[in-house]
Amino acid sequence: MRPTDSDLLRLFVEQGRQESFTELVSRRIDLVYAAALRQVGGDAHRAQDITQQVFIDLARKAASVSRHSSVLGWLYTSTPETV
C-alpha cells in the first residue's frame, strides 16, 4: 500500500527521512507549479520561484502541517500566499 502524503510528512518529521519528503515533493510539485502558474498569469519563472518557496515553507512547517487534515489542501492553499 502506498503511503499517503500525511504519512510521508510524518516520516520526515518523526524519523528525519529525507526520502519521504522527496517522494512527497515528487508527487505534488506539478500541482503546486500549475497553481502558481495560474496565479502569476503564466510567468514560468515566477511560478518556479513560488513552487520552490511553497516546498521550503512545507519543510519548515512540517511538524504542524503533518497534523493538517490534508497536506494536498495545505499545498494548494499555500501557493497563492507566496505570490
Side-chain angles (χ1 to χ4, degrees):
M1 185 173 177
R2 183 172 137 157
T4 66
D5 293 347
S6 295
D7 293 337
L8 291 171
L9 198 56
R10 271 193 297 278
L11 288 169
F12 173 67
V13 170
E14 295 171 2
Q15 299 177 15
R17 292 184 55 186
Q18 184 65 41
E19 66 274 11
S20 296
F21 190 80
T22 300
E23 172 64 24
L24 177 56
V25 172
S26 294
R27 283 185 189 181
R28 302 304 180 193
I29 196 165
D30 290 341
L31 172 115
V32 172
Y33 177 76
L37 195 60
R38 283 191 301 275
Q39 291 293 323
V40 297
D43 184 334
H45 294 291
R46 282 192 65 207
Q48 289 169 352
D49 290 344
I50 291 166
T51 300
Q52 183 177 22
Q53 189 59 52
V54 167
F55 286 107
I56 289 169
D57 289 347
L58 178 61
R60 288 182 181 151
K61 298 175 182 178
S64 63
V65 177
S66 67
R67 294 186 299 270
H68 196 275
S69 60
S70 171
V71 175
L72 182 61
W74 184 92
L75 287 168
Y76 188 78
T77 59
S78 294
T79 301
E81 292 176 9
T82 61
V83 174

